[in-house]
Amino acid sequence: MQINTPDWVKHAVFYQIFPDRFARSKQPHKRLLKNASWEAWDDMPTLQGYKGGDLWGVMEQLDYLQDLGINAIYFTPIFQSASNHRYHTHDYYLVDPMLGGNSAFKELLDAAHKRNIKVVLDGVFNHASRGFFFFHDILENGPHSPWLDWFKIQGWPLSAYDGSKPANYIGWAGNRALPEFNHENPEVREYIMEIAEYWIKFGIDGWRLDVPFEIKVPGFWQEFRDRVKAINPEAYIVGEVWGDSRQWLDGTQFDGVMNYLFAAPTIAFTAGDRVDIEQVQDRSYQPYPPLFAKEYGEKIQHVLQLYPWDIQLTQLNLLASHDTARLLSIAKDDKPSVELATLLLMTYPGAPSIYYGDEVSLPGKLDPDSRRGFPMEAHWDIYVLKYHQKLIALRHKYPALRTGSYNILYAEGTVYVFDRILGNEELIIAVNIGTASGNASFEVTGLQTKPNLLLYGEAEISWSNDEEKPDRLTLTLPPRTGCILGPDY
């Protein structure tokens, strides 16, 4: 079958925003909570406290995002909730008043679209919360509630808060704060489909789906796709699936997934034995043990062969998210590890995603530490910001870095080299993860040009003058560095 994916995603650079922690508006927009007891912005975050970030604050930072080169935003949940992360949904039709409500979101959406910045929302459709109206009605009225079949009730009485008693209903991952929907109920299914349609009509550009693998009702995600795409064929549907996602990436369900299968080996390769095991154990990906270039290349080839090419180009590639520790902390504050991984991220097929603050070297261990407030400018690492800007600009400038073929040219020891080719445009990317200079000499066949202009990074470059081996490239890379070679025109 023909696979159709949104073209704009292939050219997108995403920025993931955790709304409570990115920006608190400097203007007096709030009618309520003007003097709220927010956590201090720069204090370590807590599991339950709020820092007061809002959508007006995001609007005030659109210039910053545009200067960075961002053209797509993925928001973690923004709907009304009683949690700072908002995965405990109260009302799927109401943007949280603490964030500014529906009117602030509409204003932000319009402002983003004027700048050609797409906006994708987080859809939490496997479970709701104890404060969700339909479930709250059951808590109030017990077996007399008309909404019993909307959830997985197992007995009475329900114990929504007292952990010493059985909950008597199914909560996601055993968490009684997150009652699971009964997706076998046609009314539940229709309700979720209508939510998806409502916000697409409102103007959002897609959905990121939270734990979609938990919904096992046959045909559910096929219908979701059909109904969303009927309104906007270019809407992006991306699932949070951490492993092999072939069963969802058959062209009838999602356009892509959060590509932890790229993140894991990339971290293992660039950070190597610097990885802090405490920050990655018990996660659903394996950025350890350390990899050398050959093993890294094998893993990347495996990932690239899993899905059709049009799906590869709409994967959401990342190095960190709200569900992981930040790479800087995973790598025990080793900044070259982050730069090398970012170079690989920005030159890989699919849409790269930056977790807010990573571009200015914001640290953060596992939740809640990875959800810190975005730092004040005085605390930015300007070097890190500049190389993010430069790599993003190169990705926007050269179509080959977005949709060109990916071919491994050399993968031995600590040196990994590949090319991206689209028509007459040919670029070569090389990284050396070693603590000593890295040398690589290899034949490059099939190129129409000999990329020899250093677009990024450091390297000594030499193309052979030997008539018998005119296509041999020799590279010498300083320790812990990478480079991009482009055409000299």
Side-chain angles (χ1 to χ4, degrees):
M1 65 171 290
Q2 183 177 358
I3 292 177
N4 295 308
T5 53
D7 188 66
W8 66 265
V9 178
K10 303 166 189 175
H11 308 283
V13 177
F14 275 85
Y15 194 80
Q16 181 188 348
I17 292 178
F18 191 94
D20 185 61
R21 309 291 163 77
F22 179 59
R24 190 191 297 164
S25 175
K26 297 180 178 64
Q27 302 300 321
H29 292 285
K30 288 188 172 74
R31 298 183 183 88
L32 303 174
L33 300 172
K34 288 182 179 179
N35 300 305
S37 56
W38 307 120
E39 288 183 348
W41 192 260
D42 292 327
D43 284 357
M44 288 298 100
T46 63
L47 288 172
Q48 293 178 298
Y50 295 91
K51 291 189 180 292
D54 53 46
L55 297 179
W56 295 296
V58 177
M59 272 184 276
E60 292 166 9
Q61 296 302 318
L62 287 178
D63 283 344
Y64 167 79
L65 294 178
Q66 197 163 29
D67 288 344
L68 181 58
I70 299 303
N71 56 8
I73 297 171
Y74 151 46
F75 282 105
T76 54
I78 64 172
F79 302 129
Q80 182 179 307
S81 175
S83 60
N84 56 41
H85 50 74
R86 297 185 170 86
Y87 281 93
H88 296 52
T89 311
H90 281 182
D91 188 337
Y92 288 92
Y93 287 99
L94 180 63
V95 173
D96 200 310
M98 281 196 283
L99 297 178
N102 290 20
S103 59
F105 180 58
K106 180 60 175 172
E107 189 178 343
L108 170 60
L109 195 60
D110 290 344
H113 285 165
K114 284 180 181 177
R115 297 167 183 258
N116 294 315
I117 296 174
K118 305 288 189 180
V119 176
V120 172
L121 294 187
D122 207 317
V124 188
F125 300 136
N126 176 67
H127 49 266
S129 73
R130 292 173 294 209
F132 180 58
F133 168 80
F134 305 87
F135 188 78
H136 187 73
D137 190 275
I138 298 173
L139 293 181
E140 292 289 330
N141 297 304
H144 304 289
S145 172
W147 312 105
L148 295 181
D149 289 342
W150 279 52
F151 300 93
K152 300 172 183 178
I153 309 299
Q154 297 178 316
W156 301 99
L158 300 191
S159 179
Y161 295 94
D162 187 349
S164 69
K165 300 175 183 177
N168 282 333
Y169 60 88
I170 300 296
W172 179 68
N175 187 342
R176 67 186 72 210
L178 301 173
E180 283 195 359
F181 283 116
N182 173 19
H183 299 92
E184 299 283 356
N185 184 336
E187 290 185 347
V188 171
R189 183 166 171 157
E190 180 61 24
Y191 178 78
I192 293 171
M193 300 300 165
E194 289 181 4
I195 293 164
E197 292 173 323
Y198 176 85
W199 290 105
I200 293 292
K201 291 174 183 176
F202 194 90
I204 71 168
D205 300 289
W207 286 106
R208 178 269 189 186
L209 302 170
D210 185 60
V211 296
F213 47 86
E214 298 285 5
I215 299 177
K216 299 179 173 62
V217 176
F220 184 93
W221 291 122
Q222 285 85 352
E223 180 181 355
F224 185 94
R225 180 187 182 87
D226 290 346
R227 293 178 64 163
V228 164
K229 298 283 187 176
I231 298 167
N232 179 5
E234 283 289 289
Y236 184 37
I237 302 174
V238 56
E240 183 211 4
V241 185
W242 293 54
D244 185 336
S245 303
R246 281 175 288 186
Q247 70 182 93
W248 295 280
L249 298 180
D250 60 356
T252 71
Q253 298 171 80
F254 309 155
D255 298 309
V257 296
M258 298 181 77
N259 200 359
Y260 288 99
L261 288 183
F262 163 80
T266 300
I267 294 171
F269 177 53
T270 56
D273 59 9
R274 299 166 186 81
V275 168
D276 181 349
I277 298 300
E278 288 185 6
Q279 303 311 315
V280 297
Q281 64 188 6
D282 301 325
R283 300 286 97 183
S284 297
Y285 70 133
Q286 290 78 41
Y288 62 95
L291 297 176
F292 284 99
K294 183 176 185 292
E295 292 78 19
Y296 178 66
E298 290 169 351
K299 288 186 178 291
I300 289 298
Q301 286 283 43
H302 171 71
V303 174
L304 286 172
Q305 291 166 3
L306 278 178
Y307 317 119
W309 185 242
D310 277 341
I311 293 286
Q312 297 286 356
L313 295 178
T314 49
Q315 291 285 76
L316 188 64
N317 301 327
L318 71 165
L319 298 170
S321 76
H322 64 292
D323 284 322
T324 72
R326 293 178 181 270
L327 178 53
L328 180 61
S329 294
I330 290 174
K332 297 179 181 177
D333 299 322
D334 182 66
K335 292 186 178 181
S337 295
V338 181
E339 183 172 3
L340 289 171
T342 304
L343 171 58
L344 292 170
L345 172 71
M346 291 297 167
T347 54
Y348 190 75
S353 176
I354 299 168
Y355 185 37
Y356 80 99
D358 281 355
E359 79 281 8
V360 293
S361 219
L362 180 64
K365 297 184 178 181
L366 288 172
D367 174 34
D369 193 34
S370 64
R371 303 173 181 183
R372 299 187 191 190
F374 187 85
M376 305 303 290
E377 188 169 353
H379 301 296
W380 294 359
D381 186 320
I382 299 301
Y383 173 77
V384 176
L385 177 62
K386 292 296 184 184
Y387 77 64
H388 273 83
Q389 289 174 321
K390 186 166 187 177
L391 287 169
I392 293 170
L394 288 171
R395 186 175 179 90
H396 288 319
K397 181 177 181 178
Y398 293 100
L401 291 179
R402 306 194 297 274
T403 59
S405 62
Y406 183 109
N407 312 286
I408 298 174
L409 302 177
Y410 183 91
E412 293 183 21
T414 63
V415 178
Y416 180 74
V417 188
F418 60 97
D419 65 25
R420 301 295 309 277
I421 300 174
L422 184 67
N424 295 327
E425 188 173 271
E426 300 158 336
L427 292 92
I428 293 175
I429 299 92
V431 297
N432 172 29
I433 62 161
T435 55
S437 294
N439 299 296
S441 184
F442 50 92
E443 298 288 333
V444 184
T445 58
L447 295 187
Q448 299 181 51
T449 62
K450 292 181 178 179
N452 60 3
L453 181 63
L454 200 58
L455 303 176
Y456 181 88
E458 300 177 63
E460 294 180 12
I461 309 156
S462 174
W463 287 92
S464 172
N465 293 319
D466 188 335
E467 292 183 2
E468 294 183 3
K469 296 182 177 180
D471 297 325
R472 176 167 286 275
L473 173 61
T474 300
L475 293 172
T476 301
L477 295 158
R480 311 285 291 149
T481 60
C483 69
I484 301 176
L485 307 181
D488 187 9
Y489 58 74

